[in-house]
Amino acid sequence: MGRLEGKVGIVTGAGQGVGQGIALALGAEGASVAVLGRTAEKLETTCECLHARGVKAEPFVCDVVDTDRVPELVDRIADHFGGIDILVNNAYSGAFGPLLSMSDADLRAGFGSGPFATFAFMKAAHPYLVRRGGGVIINLLSSVMVRWDQSNYGAYAAAKSAIRSLTRTAASEWGPDNIRVNAVAPHAVSPTYEKWEAESPEEAAEFRRTIPLGYVGDCENDIGRAVAMLCGTDARYLTGATVPLDGGQANFG
C-alpha cells in the first residue's frame, strides 16, 4: 500500500514534463489524480500512463489563467473523486527576455498563470481540504528567484517570488486547519529544458556543471517522488518551506 492510498490529488500543467512526473509519482503512491492542462491529447497521454499502472485518473481541460472558472472546476473534481486531499500548482505560461523588451501583456501573462492562478486554486480547494480533516498544497517555484544575475528571467522570477509569498502566508493562516503548504524549486529534464539544451548545448553543459550532483533531475523519479514524499505523513511537520530540488545548486537560505 502506498503512502497516499485513498488520497485525491489535483495537478495543474500535468500533460507533460514536471507536472506529468508529479502526477505519475502521486499515482504510484496510491493517490487518484485529476490531470489538468490546456491540451486534451497530452492529458489523455498522462491518464493512459496512470491507468496502465492501475491508478484512477481523469483529465480536465482548462486554462488556469481563466480564474473565474476555477471554483466550478474544483467543485467538479471534488464531485467526481469524492473529495480533494492534495493540490499541486505547477502550470505556468509566461514570457522571458530583457525587461525593456517585455510588454505589460507579457508580464500579466506570467502573473495570471502564476500567482493569480495559484491563489484561485488554493482558495477553491481550501474548503475541500478542511472537510477531509486537512491536506497538502505544493506550489512550484524556481531557483531563478535567488540568482544574483536574473537577466532575461525578471518577469518569471517576479511571478515565482509572489507564489513563494502566497505559500508562506497560506501555511501560516491555514495551519490551524491542518493544511500544510510548501513549495519546491526543481531542475528537471522537461520538454522546455530539452529544447533549450538542443538549441544551446554549450550553455546547457555549463549549467549542469554548476549542479553539485552533476545532473538535471528526472521529472518523475527526482521531482515527482520528492513531491509525493512531501504530501505524505513523513513530512507532516513541514510547512511554509521552499524545498530546492536542484541537485544542490541554489541557496534558499
PDB file of all heavy atoms in Angstrom, residues 7-41:
ATOM      1  N   LYS A   7      -6.017   8.910  -1.173  1.00  0.00           N
ATOM      2  CA  LYS A   7      -5.974  10.358  -1.336  1.00  0.00           C
ATOM      3  C   LYS A   7      -6.326  10.749  -2.773  1.00  0.00           C
ATOM      4  O   LYS A   7      -6.196   9.951  -3.699  1.00  0.00           O
ATOM      5  CB  LYS A   7      -4.591  10.910  -0.991  1.00  0.00           C
ATOM      6  CG  LYS A   7      -4.087  10.564   0.403  1.00  0.00           C
ATOM      7  CD  LYS A   7      -4.944  11.192   1.487  1.00  0.00           C
ATOM      8  CE  LYS A   7      -4.365  10.932   2.860  1.00  0.00           C
ATOM      9  NZ  LYS A   7      -5.211  11.508   3.946  1.00  0.00           N
ATOM     10  N   VAL A   8      -6.774  11.984  -2.916  1.00  0.00           N
ATOM     11  CA  VAL A   8      -7.095  12.544  -4.233  1.00  0.00           C
ATOM     12  C   VAL A   8      -6.244  13.780  -4.460  1.00  0.00           C
ATOM     13  O   VAL A   8      -6.223  14.693  -3.616  1.00  0.00           O
ATOM     14  CB  VAL A   8      -8.591  12.921  -4.333  1.00  0.00           C
ATOM     15  CG1 VAL A   8      -8.887  13.596  -5.671  1.00  0.00           C
ATOM     16  CG2 VAL A   8      -9.465  11.690  -4.137  1.00  0.00           C
ATOM     17  N   GLY A   9      -5.532  13.810  -5.576  1.00  0.00           N
ATOM     18  CA  GLY A   9      -4.668  14.939  -5.877  1.00  0.00           C
ATOM     19  C   GLY A   9      -5.053  15.643  -7.163  1.00  0.00           C
ATOM     20  O   GLY A   9      -5.507  15.014  -8.122  1.00  0.00           O
ATOM     21  N   ILE A  10      -4.885  16.957  -7.169  1.00  0.00           N
ATOM     22  CA  ILE A  10      -5.034  17.776  -8.375  1.00  0.00           C
ATOM     23  C   ILE A  10      -3.642  18.227  -8.788  1.00  0.00           C
ATOM     24  O   ILE A  10      -2.880  18.738  -7.962  1.00  0.00           O
ATOM     25  CB  ILE A  10      -5.900  19.016  -8.113  1.00  0.00           C
ATOM     26  CG1 ILE A  10      -7.323  18.628  -7.753  1.00  0.00           C
ATOM     27  CG2 ILE A  10      -5.894  19.954  -9.327  1.00  0.00           C
ATOM     28  CD1 ILE A  10      -8.187  19.823  -7.338  1.00  0.00           C
ATOM     29  N   VAL A  11      -3.302  18.058 -10.067  1.00  0.00           N
ATOM     30  CA  VAL A  11      -2.022  18.546 -10.586  1.00  0.00           C
ATOM     31  C   VAL A  11      -2.289  19.391 -11.824  1.00  0.00           C
ATOM     32  O   VAL A  11      -2.824  18.884 -12.821  1.00  0.00           O
ATOM     33  CB  VAL A  11      -1.067  17.393 -10.940  1.00  0.00           C
ATOM     34  CG1 VAL A  11       0.288  17.957 -11.387  1.00  0.00           C
ATOM     35  CG2 VAL A  11      -0.884  16.441  -9.763  1.00  0.00           C
ATOM     36  N   THR A  12      -1.948  20.674 -11.779  1.00  0.00           N
ATOM     37  CA  THR A  12      -2.117  21.527 -12.948  1.00  0.00           C
ATOM     38  C   THR A  12      -0.883  21.424 -13.839  1.00  0.00           C
ATOM     39  O   THR A  12       0.221  21.140 -13.378  1.00  0.00           O
ATOM     40  CB  THR A  12      -2.337  23.001 -12.552  1.00  0.00           C
ATOM     41  OG1 THR A  12      -1.132  23.547 -12.007  1.00  0.00           O
ATOM     42  CG2 THR A  12      -3.465  23.140 -11.542  1.00  0.00           C
ATOM     43  N   GLY A  13      -1.082  21.632 -15.130  1.00  0.00           N
ATOM     44  CA  GLY A  13       0.019  21.506 -16.074  1.00  0.00           C
ATOM     45  C   GLY A  13       0.572  20.098 -16.106  1.00  0.00           C
ATOM     46  O   GLY A  13       1.779  19.891 -16.219  1.00  0.00           O
ATOM     47  N   ALA A  14      -0.319  19.101 -16.045  1.00  0.00           N
ATOM     48  CA  ALA A  14       0.103  17.704 -15.884  1.00  0.00           C
ATOM     49  C   ALA A  14       0.190  16.942 -17.194  1.00  0.00           C
ATOM     50  O   ALA A  14       0.374  15.724 -17.184  1.00  0.00           O
ATOM     51  CB  ALA A  14      -0.842  16.987 -14.927  1.00  0.00           C
ATOM     52  N   GLY A  15       0.087  17.636 -18.316  1.00  0.00           N
ATOM     53  CA  GLY A  15       0.135  16.949 -19.599  1.00  0.00           C
ATOM     54  C   GLY A  15       1.525  16.549 -20.036  1.00  0.00           C
ATOM     55  O   GLY A  15       1.687  15.693 -20.909  1.00  0.00           O
ATOM     56  N   GLN A  16       2.553  17.128 -19.429  1.00  0.00           N
ATOM     57  CA  GLN A  16       3.923  16.810 -19.814  1.00  0.00           C
ATOM     58  C   GLN A  16       4.882  17.284 -18.732  1.00  0.00           C
ATOM     59  O   GLN A  16       4.489  17.952 -17.773  1.00  0.00           O
ATOM     60  CB  GLN A  16       4.292  17.502 -21.134  1.00  0.00           C
ATOM     61  CG  GLN A  16       4.263  19.021 -21.057  1.00  0.00           C
ATOM     62  CD  GLN A  16       4.604  19.686 -22.372  1.00  0.00           C
ATOM     63  OE1 GLN A  16       4.691  19.042 -23.415  1.00  0.00           O
ATOM     64  NE2 GLN A  16       4.812  20.991 -22.346  1.00  0.00           N
ATOM     65  N   GLY A  17       6.137  16.942 -18.883  1.00  0.00           N
ATOM     66  CA  GLY A  17       7.193  17.487 -18.045  1.00  0.00           C
ATOM     67  C   GLY A  17       7.031  17.239 -16.568  1.00  0.00           C
ATOM     68  O   GLY A  17       6.634  16.153 -16.121  1.00  0.00           O
ATOM     69  N   VAL A  18       7.332  18.257 -15.775  1.00  0.00           N
ATOM     70  CA  VAL A  18       7.308  18.143 -14.322  1.00  0.00           C
ATOM     71  C   VAL A  18       5.915  17.790 -13.817  1.00  0.00           C
ATOM     72  O   VAL A  18       5.760  16.951 -12.919  1.00  0.00           O
ATOM     73  CB  VAL A  18       7.812  19.442 -13.667  1.00  0.00           C
ATOM     74  CG1 VAL A  18       7.598  19.420 -12.161  1.00  0.00           C
ATOM     75  CG2 VAL A  18       9.290  19.659 -13.973  1.00  0.00           C
ATOM     76  N   GLY A  19       4.892  18.424 -14.371  1.00  0.00           N
ATOM     77  CA  GLY A  19       3.528  18.130 -13.923  1.00  0.00           C
ATOM     78  C   GLY A  19       3.156  16.678 -14.150  1.00  0.00           C
ATOM     79  O   GLY A  19       2.550  16.034 -13.288  1.00  0.00           O
ATOM     80  N   GLN A  20       3.530  16.159 -15.304  1.00  0.00           N
ATOM     81  CA  GLN A  20       3.273  14.743 -15.582  1.00  0.00           C
ATOM     82  C   GLN A  20       4.048  13.855 -14.616  1.00  0.00           C
ATOM     83  O   GLN A  20       3.516  12.880 -14.083  1.00  0.00           O
ATOM     84  CB  GLN A  20       3.666  14.411 -17.019  1.00  0.00           C
ATOM     85  CG  GLN A  20       3.361  12.971 -17.408  1.00  0.00           C
ATOM     86  CD  GLN A  20       3.827  12.675 -18.826  1.00  0.00           C
ATOM     87  OE1 GLN A  20       5.023  12.553 -19.082  1.00  0.00           O
ATOM     88  NE2 GLN A  20       2.883  12.563 -19.753  1.00  0.00           N
ATOM     89  N   GLY A  21       5.311  14.201 -14.372  1.00  0.00           N
ATOM     90  CA  GLY A  21       6.115  13.419 -13.443  1.00  0.00           C
ATOM     91  C   GLY A  21       5.518  13.392 -12.048  1.00  0.00           C
ATOM     92  O   GLY A  21       5.514  12.349 -11.374  1.00  0.00           O
ATOM     93  N   ILE A  22       5.000  14.528 -11.602  1.00  0.00           N
ATOM     94  CA  ILE A  22       4.373  14.587 -10.284  1.00  0.00           C
ATOM     95  C   ILE A  22       3.105  13.743 -10.260  1.00  0.00           C
ATOM     96  O   ILE A  22       2.846  13.006  -9.296  1.00  0.00           O
ATOM     97  CB  ILE A  22       4.074  16.044  -9.899  1.00  0.00           C
ATOM     98  CG1 ILE A  22       5.393  16.813  -9.665  1.00  0.00           C
ATOM     99  CG2 ILE A  22       3.192  16.110  -8.647  1.00  0.00           C
ATOM    100  CD1 ILE A  22       5.215  18.305  -9.471  1.00  0.00           C
ATOM    101  N   ALA A  23       2.288  13.845 -11.304  1.00  0.00           N
ATOM    102  CA  ALA A  23       1.059  13.048 -11.367  1.00  0.00           C
ATOM    103  C   ALA A  23       1.373  11.555 -11.300  1.00  0.00           C
ATOM    104  O   ALA A  23       0.714  10.795 -10.569  1.00  0.00           O
ATOM    105  CB  ALA A  23       0.294  13.379 -12.650  1.00  0.00           C
ATOM    106  N   LEU A  24       2.390  11.119 -12.034  1.00  0.00           N
ATOM    107  CA  LEU A  24       2.762   9.708 -12.028  1.00  0.00           C
ATOM    108  C   LEU A  24       3.267   9.267 -10.659  1.00  0.00           C
ATOM    109  O   LEU A  24       2.960   8.165 -10.188  1.00  0.00           O
ATOM    110  CB  LEU A  24       3.831   9.452 -13.092  1.00  0.00           C
ATOM    111  CG  LEU A  24       3.387   9.634 -14.549  1.00  0.00           C
ATOM    112  CD1 LEU A  24       4.581   9.507 -15.484  1.00  0.00           C
ATOM    113  CD2 LEU A  24       2.309   8.623 -14.927  1.00  0.00           C
ATOM    114  N   ALA A  25       4.037  10.134 -10.010  1.00  0.00           N
ATOM    115  CA  ALA A  25       4.579   9.787  -8.694  1.00  0.00           C
ATOM    116  C   ALA A  25       3.480   9.725  -7.633  1.00  0.00           C
ATOM    117  O   ALA A  25       3.493   8.844  -6.769  1.00  0.00           O
ATOM    118  CB  ALA A  25       5.649  10.795  -8.293  1.00  0.00           C
ATOM    119  N   LEU A  26       2.523  10.645  -7.684  1.00  0.00           N
ATOM    120  CA  LEU A  26       1.397  10.594  -6.748  1.00  0.00           C
ATOM    121  C   LEU A  26       0.600   9.311  -6.959  1.00  0.00           C
ATOM    122  O   LEU A  26       0.205   8.636  -6.000  1.00  0.00           O
ATOM    123  CB  LEU A  26       0.495  11.810  -6.936  1.00  0.00           C
ATOM    124  CG  LEU A  26       1.068  13.188  -6.588  1.00  0.00           C
ATOM    125  CD1 LEU A  26       0.008  14.267  -6.828  1.00  0.00           C
ATOM    126  CD2 LEU A  26       1.555  13.249  -5.154  1.00  0.00           C
ATOM    127  N   GLY A  27       0.374   8.978  -8.229  1.00  0.00           N
ATOM    128  CA  GLY A  27      -0.350   7.746  -8.532  1.00  0.00           C
ATOM    129  C   GLY A  27       0.387   6.511  -8.055  1.00  0.00           C
ATOM    130  O   GLY A  27      -0.233   5.557  -7.558  1.00  0.00           O
ATOM    131  N   ALA A  28       1.705   6.512  -8.171  1.00  0.00           N
ATOM    132  CA  ALA A  28       2.499   5.364  -7.731  1.00  0.00           C
ATOM    133  C   ALA A  28       2.390   5.135  -6.230  1.00  0.00           C
ATOM    134  O   ALA A  28       2.575   4.016  -5.749  1.00  0.00           O
ATOM    135  CB  ALA A  28       3.966   5.566  -8.122  1.00  0.00           C
ATOM    136  N   GLU A  29       2.059   6.203  -5.494  1.00  0.00           N
ATOM    137  CA  GLU A  29       1.902   6.094  -4.040  1.00  0.00           C
ATOM    138  C   GLU A  29       0.447   5.858  -3.634  1.00  0.00           C
ATOM    139  O   GLU A  29       0.110   5.920  -2.457  1.00  0.00           O
ATOM    140  CB  GLU A  29       2.443   7.347  -3.350  1.00  0.00           C
ATOM    141  CG  GLU A  29       3.949   7.485  -3.413  1.00  0.00           C
ATOM    142  CD  GLU A  29       4.671   6.398  -2.628  1.00  0.00           C
ATOM    143  OE1 GLU A  29       4.042   5.780  -1.735  1.00  0.00           O
ATOM    144  OE2 GLU A  29       5.858   6.163  -2.903  1.00  0.00           O
ATOM    145  N   GLY A  30      -0.422   5.619  -4.629  1.00  0.00           N
ATOM    146  CA  GLY A  30      -1.787   5.226  -4.312  1.00  0.00           C
ATOM    147  C   GLY A  30      -2.845   6.296  -4.470  1.00  0.00           C
ATOM    148  O   GLY A  30      -4.034   6.023  -4.266  1.00  0.00           O
ATOM    149  N   ALA A  31      -2.447   7.521  -4.822  1.00  0.00           N
ATOM    150  CA  ALA A  31      -3.428   8.600  -4.960  1.00  0.00           C
ATOM    151  C   ALA A  31      -4.180   8.499  -6.281  1.00  0.00           C
ATOM    152  O   ALA A  31      -3.635   8.043  -7.292  1.00  0.00           O
ATOM    153  CB  ALA A  31      -2.731   9.954  -4.874  1.00  0.00           C
ATOM    154  N   SER A  32      -5.429   8.923  -6.277  1.00  0.00           N
ATOM    155  CA  SER A  32      -6.160   9.179  -7.518  1.00  0.00           C
ATOM    156  C   SER A  32      -5.792  10.589  -7.969  1.00  0.00           C
ATOM    157  O   SER A  32      -5.542  11.463  -7.128  1.00  0.00           O
ATOM    158  CB  SER A  32      -7.665   9.080  -7.286  1.00  0.00           C
ATOM    159  OG  SER A  32      -8.014   7.793  -6.826  1.00  0.00           O
ATOM    160  N   VAL A  33      -5.781  10.819  -9.290  1.00  0.00           N
ATOM    161  CA  VAL A  33      -5.223  12.075  -9.780  1.00  0.00           C
ATOM    162  C   VAL A  33      -6.145  12.750 -10.792  1.00  0.00           C
ATOM    163  O   VAL A  33      -6.558  12.134 -11.781  1.00  0.00           O
ATOM    164  CB  VAL A  33      -3.836  11.871 -10.428  1.00  0.00           C
ATOM    165  CG1 VAL A  33      -3.217  13.217 -10.775  1.00  0.00           C
ATOM    166  CG2 VAL A  33      -2.909  11.084  -9.505  1.00  0.00           C
ATOM    167  N   ALA A  34      -6.447  14.029 -10.532  1.00  0.00           N
ATOM    168  CA  ALA A  34      -7.102  14.892 -11.514  1.00  0.00           C
ATOM    169  C   ALA A  34      -5.998  15.557 -12.318  1.00  0.00           C
ATOM    170  O   ALA A  34      -5.163  16.281 -11.770  1.00  0.00           O
ATOM    171  CB  ALA A  34      -7.957  15.938 -10.817  1.00  0.00           C
ATOM    172  N   VAL A  35      -5.976  15.290 -13.615  1.00  0.00           N
ATOM    173  CA  VAL A  35      -4.899  15.722 -14.504  1.00  0.00           C
ATOM    174  C   VAL A  35      -5.373  16.943 -15.286  1.00  0.00           C
ATOM    175  O   VAL A  35      -6.245  16.839 -16.144  1.00  0.00           O
ATOM    176  CB  VAL A  35      -4.506  14.572 -15.461  1.00  0.00           C
ATOM    177  CG1 VAL A  35      -3.413  15.011 -16.415  1.00  0.00           C
ATOM    178  CG2 VAL A  35      -4.075  13.350 -14.667  1.00  0.00           C
ATOM    179  N   LEU A  36      -4.803  18.110 -14.984  1.00  0.00           N
ATOM    180  CA  LEU A  36      -5.286  19.373 -15.554  1.00  0.00           C
ATOM    181  C   LEU A  36      -4.274  19.951 -16.538  1.00  0.00           C
ATOM    182  O   LEU A  36      -3.059  19.849 -16.338  1.00  0.00           O
ATOM    183  CB  LEU A  36      -5.537  20.404 -14.452  1.00  0.00           C
ATOM    184  CG  LEU A  36      -6.882  20.355 -13.715  1.00  0.00           C
ATOM    185  CD1 LEU A  36      -7.098  19.008 -13.051  1.00  0.00           C
ATOM    186  CD2 LEU A  36      -6.969  21.471 -12.688  1.00  0.00           C
ATOM    187  N   GLY A  37      -4.799  20.599 -17.587  1.00  0.00           N
ATOM    188  CA  GLY A  37      -3.954  21.270 -18.555  1.00  0.00           C
ATOM    189  C   GLY A  37      -4.770  21.778 -19.719  1.00  0.00           C
ATOM    190  O   GLY A  37      -5.986  21.575 -19.787  1.00  0.00           O
ATOM    191  N   ARG A  38      -4.090  22.413 -20.658  1.00  0.00           N
ATOM    192  CA  ARG A  38      -4.780  23.050 -21.776  1.00  0.00           C
ATOM    193  C   ARG A  38      -4.985  22.145 -22.976  1.00  0.00           C
ATOM    194  O   ARG A  38      -5.869  22.387 -23.802  1.00  0.00           O
ATOM    195  CB  ARG A  38      -3.998  24.288 -22.230  1.00  0.00           C
ATOM    196  CG  ARG A  38      -3.965  25.405 -21.217  1.00  0.00           C
ATOM    197  CD  ARG A  38      -3.204  26.616 -21.733  1.00  0.00           C
ATOM    198  NE  ARG A  38      -1.804  26.321 -21.971  1.00  0.00           N
ATOM    199  CZ  ARG A  38      -0.898  27.217 -22.345  1.00  0.00           C
ATOM    200  NH1 ARG A  38      -1.273  28.466 -22.552  1.00  0.00           N
ATOM    201  NH2 ARG A  38       0.358  26.874 -22.518  1.00  0.00           N
ATOM    202  N   THR A  39      -4.177  21.086 -23.115  1.00  0.00           N
ATOM    203  CA  THR A  39      -4.190  20.264 -24.324  1.00  0.00           C
ATOM    204  C   THR A  39      -4.732  18.878 -24.023  1.00  0.00           C
ATOM    205  O   THR A  39      -4.096  18.091 -23.310  1.00  0.00           O
ATOM    206  CB  THR A  39      -2.771  20.152 -24.913  1.00  0.00           C
ATOM    207  OG1 THR A  39      -2.237  21.471 -25.087  1.00  0.00           O
ATOM    208  CG2 THR A  39      -2.799  19.446 -26.256  1.00  0.00           C
ATOM    209  N   ALA A  40      -5.895  18.574 -24.566  1.00  0.00           N
ATOM    210  CA  ALA A  40      -6.579  17.322 -24.245  1.00  0.00           C
ATOM    211  C   ALA A  40      -5.721  16.103 -24.557  1.00  0.00           C
ATOM    212  O   ALA A  40      -5.681  15.142 -23.775  1.00  0.00           O
ATOM    213  CB  ALA A  40      -7.900  17.248 -25.010  1.00  0.00           C
ATOM    214  N   GLU A  41      -5.024  16.111 -25.707  1.00  0.00           N
ATOM    215  CA  GLU A  41      -4.235  14.951 -26.106  1.00  0.00           C
ATOM    216  C   GLU A  41      -3.131  14.643 -25.098  1.00  0.00           C
ATOM    217  O   GLU A  41      -2.868  13.476 -24.766  1.00  0.00           O
ATOM    218  CB  GLU A  41      -3.624  15.177 -27.496  1.00  0.00           C
ATOM    219  CG  GLU A  41      -4.636  15.233 -28.630  1.00  0.00           C
ATOM    220  CD  GLU A  41      -5.337  16.584 -28.737  1.00  0.00           C
ATOM    221  OE1 GLU A  41      -4.976  17.510 -27.965  1.00  0.00           O
ATOM    222  OE2 GLU A  41      -6.251  16.705 -29.571  1.00  0.00           O
TER     223      GLU A  41
END
